[in-house]
Amino acid sequence: MASMAEQPCYTLINTSNDFEQPTELQLRTDLEKGDNRTKIDALKKVIQMILNGEKMSSLLMTVIRFVMPMQDHMVKKLLLVFWEVVPKYHPDGKLMQEMILVCDAYRKDLQHPNEFIRGSTLRFLCKLKEPELVEPLMPSIRQCLEHRHSYVRRNAVLAIYTIYRNFDFLIPDAPELIANFLEGEQDMSCKRNAFMMLIHADQERALNYLSSCIDQVTSFGDILQLVIVELIYKVCHANPGERARFIRCIYNLLNSNSPAVRYEAAGTLVTLSSAPTAIRAAASCYIELIVKESDNNVKLIVLDRLMALKEVPAHEKVLQELVMDILRVLAAPDLEVRKKTLNLALELVNSRSIEEMVLVLKKEVVKTNNVEHEDTGKYRQLLVRNLHQCSVKFPDVASTIIPVLMEFLGDTNELAAADVLVFVREAVQRFDHLRPLVIGRLLDVFPSIKAMKIHRAALWILGEYCSTTEDIQSVMTLIRQALGDIPIVDDEMKKAAGEVKEDEMQSVGSVQRLVTADGTYATQSAFSSVSTKKQEDRPPLRKDMMEGDFFIGAALATTLTKLALKYITLTTDKKRQNGFVAEAMLIMATIIHLGKSGLSEKPITDDDVDRIATCLRVLAERSELMHEIFNQKCRQSLSIMLAAKIEEDKATQEAADKKVVKVHADDPINFTQLINRADMGPGENLFDVTLSQALGMSTKKDSDPIGSSKLSKVTQLTGFSDPVYAEAYVNVNQYDIVLDVLVVNQTADTLQNLTVELATLGDLKLVEKPQPLLLAPHDFCNIKANIKVASTENGIIFGNIVYDVSGAASDRNCVVLNDIHIDIMDYIVPAACTDTEFRQMWAEFEWENKVTVNTNITGLSDYLNHVMKCTNMKCLTPEKALSGECGFMAANMYARSIFGEDVLANLSIEKAIHMGKEAPVQGHVRIRAKSQGMALSMGDKINLSQKKSGKPMAA
């Protein structure tokens, strides 16, 4: 006799926590004498109690006598659920006599004039596992195939299919019966069910039917077309010789009206044929789906399929011809879709399509100018980066890209403008012929630049690459316009005094007497009486320095020094030389004066003063060494950095492009006529693979034959001396956790109503309550519990085991279980992001967890590798920056959860040299995340892994 947990049950009914169990006598009274409403409520309660483990066998005849004769549709529906869950066997395994009466009631319902009752009864028969109950009903089920209503006919087909699959001796001629039914049927849902049955029961008949109507497939409904695609895939996978027979049908289905059919047909076509025409047709179908479907999730899924196609070298060449079609997807408003599309297009673009792609991207750039949306800035930044990469891959198009991108420098989105300048800096260094164009455009847009960081970078480029006297004079004019009248302090004092007294200028440091609200006198210095209105009218560079940011002043001093030294070499006229140098020195001096005057919100820093003073000294002395450092060494440093970056990108690309040799020189040649049929198939059956993935079953060979990694996930829940021993294996499958609990009865008593009661803490939700069990002396059983996970936080599952001892009069016994801690590492995957994105997220994330390093690992690199291994995080700091030994290490790490949550970490560790080689690493790890739970969970993980290491661990 199967236990309650092992019995088949298809209907799950949620029981509320405040559900009060009525007595059996009360239920019997309600079922016998109550009105319709009372009987319905009583029947619902009976079903819930049976599902919770109560037997209720004494109520069986009551239900048969007083409830079954009722014609109410709600009662009929509830009775079907009741007959599904009620125990149908005596404890000795024999079928209950009452079931004969129930069987007669089924037969009457199958002949009922109402098509809903007939159809729902047929659906119920699909769930019956007792051939004794089904056998008398077979003639009635066969008759339902000829019913006038399609709802009855399609459920009759399903019932025949499940009965044939479970008890083929009851209806041995089922395939022939359904094949004849299919020939004369017109309703699409009925045809679909019949065809699906033939696929699984008699594939040859299904193929014969498909061959007979292969030209009409495009006129079928989408539900039938989907089943046809599945059949063709399975047949061609098992017997590749059939491909030529059905591939034309798949081609035709690419033009189906249903997007689901087109998607499945394209996927099947790719697996059946690798011919360029087939790949082009499938890829074009995918692109059309992405463009026409409004659901972003669908767009992302289909984009993934296109990216998977690109991974095959032979298919990549075909996709390169479709780059312009792929770029049509940019019309989608979602940023993630656009990002994936641009990445795919950039990988596929070649010298033939680059010009067209640049034109499309330029149009997209123009479109973003007048649209204000929360993602517009990010999209603009994405376009800038892609245009940058296009010009790096294909230098010929750089001259057409630069004028468009220069417009971004005056943009309010600082990140997009910063990306443009990085691109411009690289272009102006690498392509000499573009320098006049770049400098000319930069001089034109310089007045429109708003952000201080952009000013700083633009000044550096102008100072480094202006090479004619006209350009140098133009830069000096722009700088004077961006600073306003100089000396700055005198000009500010005049403005401040003008606010106090308009007709005459006040002296420096003069004060004005003011009367406060309480009648007393107060003094106000002209230094602090700076009007808000005047602040708004200030030129941009002066505005930045008045706000206390004098780093722009130091950058300006360096630019002026470079320009002055170049001007000296370009001009022979001493008067003009001295005039230019004097003007540059005056600007530097006035910046220092402003920083020391107290007019600015913050005083100038000592570093900035030193930098500006050094520049003043260089211009005063004008030595050859300084000239070389300012005008040659700086550019050399940039070229070295860019060369290193190109090398790094090249190495990354080579690693990504490293293709595995599929066919070796000494491999045997495969002749189609001689090859074994099994070896011709294109690998695993995709339907089986996707089903096993959905069920959480690994399709790969187990790399751990002795199962030691599985044993590490077993948690002991009770002690060995407890009357009931329990342990659980925690199996994590993406968003689900399956607890497989082994329960052992260690007593000599029979344990009744043994229930594992579980509860959760955190973002975990128990899907269903484990069923009560009957456990014999020294017997054991397995109980499974499903738990849904909503976010990446440390979840805890706790509970107890309660049971009754057979024959004992005492209360229920209880064994408290140990807590099960869910490891968040199952949801964390390493991820990569740029330095700018890391800094932006670091500033935005509000939750920080600082973990002090407490370990006995002695090597800095060893500790970093150990933390990366324990937390599944990826190190963003390049290997070159981490190499060498200096007693100190700082590294940034990044990871992402499968729920899309980001987590950042900054590792700052040191090893004091004076403490010896065996001294442990010291320092701290700072973790930042958007949610508190994520930051705390990751910190706990690092703390636990530090303490677990018993000896220094090498990575």
Side-chain angles (χ1 to χ4, degrees), residues 12 75 83 106 141 145 147 214 227 383 394 405 435 483 589 596 641 660 666 841 926:
L12 294 173
V75 172
W83 296 126
Y106 293 156
I141 295 171
L145 282 175
H147 194 270
I214 200 157
V227 183
L383 289 168
F394 305 96
L405 292 187
R435 280 181 193 169
L483 282 172
K596 300 281 188 184
M641 187 195 83
V660 180
D666 56 348
M841 284 191 283
R926 290 165 70 196

Side-chain angles (χ1 to χ4, degrees), residues 311-313 659-665 667:
E311 296 302 317
V312 182
K659 302 283 191 297
V660 180
V661 179
K662 297 284 174 72
V663 181
H664 292 277
D667 278 358

Side-chain angles (χ1 to χ4, degrees), residues 368-538:
T368 61
N369 284 338
N370 304 321
V371 181
E372 281 307 319
H373 187 264
E374 57 178 328
D375 286 335
T376 305
K378 290 178 183 176
Y379 180 46
R380 214 174 290 177
Q381 197 178 348
L382 206 58
L383 289 168
V384 169
R385 285 185 185 170
N386 277 273
L387 284 167
H388 179 188
Q389 287 169 310
C390 285
S391 68
V392 171
K393 281 176 83 173
F394 305 96
D396 296 343
V397 298
S399 57
T400 59
I401 294 172
I402 286 170
V404 180
L405 292 187
M406 284 293 197
E407 301 297 330
F408 277 102
L409 293 178
D411 199 82
T412 49
N413 181 4
E414 193 178 291
L415 293 171
D419 278 345
V420 172
L421 273 175
V422 168
F423 163 54
V424 167
R425 184 183 68 183
E426 190 170 339
V428 82
Q429 171 65 20
R430 289 180 61 193
F431 313 125
D432 293 347
H433 63 283
L434 291 178
R435 280 181 193 169
L437 171 70
V438 172
I439 296 299
R441 292 292 299 157
L442 194 53
L443 288 170
D444 291 342
V445 299
F446 190 86
S448 65
I449 295 174
K450 300 178 180 69
M452 187 268 292
K453 287 180 182 176
I454 310 306
H455 263 129
R456 212 166 62 211
L459 283 171
W460 189 91
I461 292 171
L462 289 171
E464 192 64 51
Y465 295 101
C466 280
S467 52
T468 64
T469 51
E470 292 79 14
D471 286 346
I472 292 171
Q473 288 285 8
S474 301
V475 175
M476 179 59 87
T477 307
L478 288 172
I479 290 170
R480 288 295 300 267
Q481 287 172 359
L483 282 172
D485 294 339
I486 54 173
I488 298 172
V489 173
D490 290 354
D491 192 47
E492 286 295 318
M493 291 299 304
K494 285 175 189 174
K495 287 179 182 176
E499 279 298 301
V500 178
K501 197 174 179 181
E502 290 182 12
D503 54 343
E504 61 182 67
M505 187 183 74
Q506 279 196 324
S507 60
V508 177
S510 66
V511 295
Q512 180 191 17
R513 276 187 174 276
L514 297 172
V515 181
T516 60
D518 59 357
T520 57
Y521 285 106
T523 57
Q524 182 179 21
S525 169
F527 288 129
S528 58
S529 66
V530 180
S531 161
T532 314
K533 183 184 169 189
K534 292 292 177 189
Q535 280 184 356
E536 289 169 6
D537 297 341
R538 286 193 183 117

